[in-house]
Amino acid sequence: MTDQPNQPNRQNQPYDPYGQQPQAWPGQGYQGYEDPHAAQQYTQQWQGQTWETQNHRAVSAQAPDPETAILTPQSPRPHQGPRTPQEPASPAATDAAATGYGPATVGGNARVTDAQRARAEGRSPIIEPGMQPAALTALLGLLLAGAAVVGTYALLVPLVILQAVTAAGWFRLNGMWPARQGIALGFAGALAADAALLVSGRSPSAILGTIGVWVLLALVLQLRSHADPDERMYGLMATVAASALAIVAGGYLAAAADAVTVGAVAVAVAVLARALPLPTPVSVVVSLLAAAGAGIAMGSVTDLGTSGALLGAGAAVCALIGHRVASYDYPSRFVHFTAGVALPLAAAAPAVYVLGRALA
């Protein structure tokens, strides 16, 4: 019997996964490796505790049985690092409901508003305020009409409320909130216009002069801002528009008392009729006819007579334009109860003044 060459005892050698020693893949053994339980424990020590349970099952399913494995050393397989569990999906629906933006897309378009998506899909981004904002508009219009009968200083109370809601609603309609500086600037311009109207004997030139001064003031303030150029431009346009609308609402103070009474009642009736559940073309026609009828009714009470129908219809046209603007771009509930309430009355103020002077 010939002597066998001395071979090292592989079971007593420390495991070196990166060495040059022949290694066995989990579930396989060397010649003379007769304990399958020890082989399994040896394999678990090599894999570590960072592998997931499903990876253990996959390896165990692919590896041959130790009892039936070929009794030759196997070359080591490439080392695989630990696999990290997948992160849970972000609650995109909750984030979209809270911010108004849709979920992120794979292509990187992560900030798409509902209005942009609706226009891309061919849908209309118009959501009308509804009956509750229309009722508030009608209430504020009736307050203006009643205060105009009482006197100039009584008219200031609902007018100041209208101007404040106009400035706040316009900023929120443009997606800027909070914008305390712009809202305060627009409201201050409205108060300055009211004061100029009272000092000048309700001359309309006070409105135009105040608008010019406030546009220049808004431009200077935006130039001092440290925001991005695009953001400064958006802020400038929103501030100028909000200030102009709030100041133009002071036209009720410059108009004759009878014209304010007829025009404010006509706007109230027109907005209520517009909120009825009718098709849009039918609703517009019904609204204009109702405003003309309200103008005739209020004209018979005042000195305007039947010419109140023309004043009521003209005020209603401007009010419907403001109503349409407040319905644009998927507005929120806060927009409906600010811009949706104030814009119809604020937009009708120039028509009330001009038609009141022409028909008097």
Side-chain angles (χ1 to χ4, degrees):
M1 184 175 68
T2 60
D3 294 336
Q4 298 292 334
N6 295 329
Q7 296 183 359
N9 188 1
R10 302 182 186 269
Q11 297 182 0
N12 296 329
Q13 290 182 354
Y15 175 68
D16 185 8
Y18 302 102
Q20 301 298 324
Q21 298 291 336
Q23 302 170 11
W25 186 248
Q28 297 179 356
Y30 300 104
Q31 289 181 344
Y33 210 118
E34 300 177 354
D35 189 357
H37 298 288
Q40 182 178 4
Q41 182 179 3
Y42 182 79
T43 301
Q44 292 178 354
Q45 293 177 358
W46 178 80
Q47 288 178 335
Q49 298 180 356
T50 58
W51 282 55
E52 296 178 354
T53 305
Q54 58 182 1
N55 295 333
H56 287 289
R57 294 176 179 175
V59 172
S60 299
Q62 295 176 1
D65 191 358
E67 296 180 358
T68 60
I70 301 176
L71 300 181
T72 57
Q74 302 290 332
S75 59
R77 298 188 182 184
H79 177 69
Q80 296 181 358
R83 298 182 182 180
T84 57
Q86 296 181 355
E87 297 181 356
S90 60
T94 304
D95 181 70
T99 62
Y101 289 93
T105 60
V106 178
N109 192 7
R111 304 294 286 179
V112 178
T113 62
D114 292 336
Q116 293 171 343
R117 183 177 294 104
R119 282 191 289 267
E121 295 175 357
R123 294 184 287 111
S124 174
I126 301 297
I127 298 179
E128 297 178 356
M131 184 57 69
Q132 291 181 349
L136 293 177
T137 302
L139 177 61
L140 189 55
L142 294 178
L143 290 176
L144 286 171
V149 176
V150 175
T152 301
Y153 291 96
L155 181 60
L156 279 174
V157 177
L159 179 60
V160 168
I161 296 174
L162 172 62
Q163 290 169 331
V165 177
T166 300
W170 184 260
F171 272 91
R172 191 62 186 94
L173 180 63
N174 286 269
M176 298 181 181
W177 190 265
R180 299 181 182 90
Q181 181 180 359
I183 295 173
L185 184 62
F187 183 56
L191 295 180
D194 296 343
L197 284 169
L198 293 177
V199 171
S200 63
R202 301 197 298 180
S203 174
S205 59
I207 295 178
L208 298 178
T210 307
I211 290 177
V213 172
W214 247 251
V215 169
L216 181 60
L217 181 60
L219 180 61
V220 171
L221 291 178
Q222 289 299 327
L223 289 176
R224 292 171 55 87
S225 176
H226 298 288
D228 295 335
D230 291 341
E231 186 175 352
R232 280 188 292 176
M233 181 60 68
Y234 296 149
L236 174 63
M237 299 305 298
T239 303
V240 170
S243 302
L245 287 172
I247 293 171
V248 164
Y252 288 110
L253 194 61
D258 292 342
V260 174
T261 301
V262 174
V265 172
V267 170
V269 174
V271 173
L272 286 176
R274 184 67 180 84
L276 295 176
L278 297 173
T280 300
V282 177
S283 178
V284 171
V285 173
V286 171
S287 178
L288 293 176
L289 292 177
I296 294 175
M298 297 305 299
S300 62
V301 178
T302 61
D303 296 336
L304 290 176
T306 56
S307 60
L310 182 59
L311 194 153
V317 169
C318 296
L320 292 181
I321 294 175
H323 181 273
R324 179 73 172 184
V325 172
S327 307
Y328 182 69
D329 206 14
Y330 280 97
S332 64
R333 186 175 179 85
F334 186 88
V335 173
H336 283 164
F337 280 93
T338 51
V341 172
L343 284 185
L345 286 168
V352 170
Y353 172 78
V354 173
L355 294 176
R357 289 290 298 270
L359 298 175

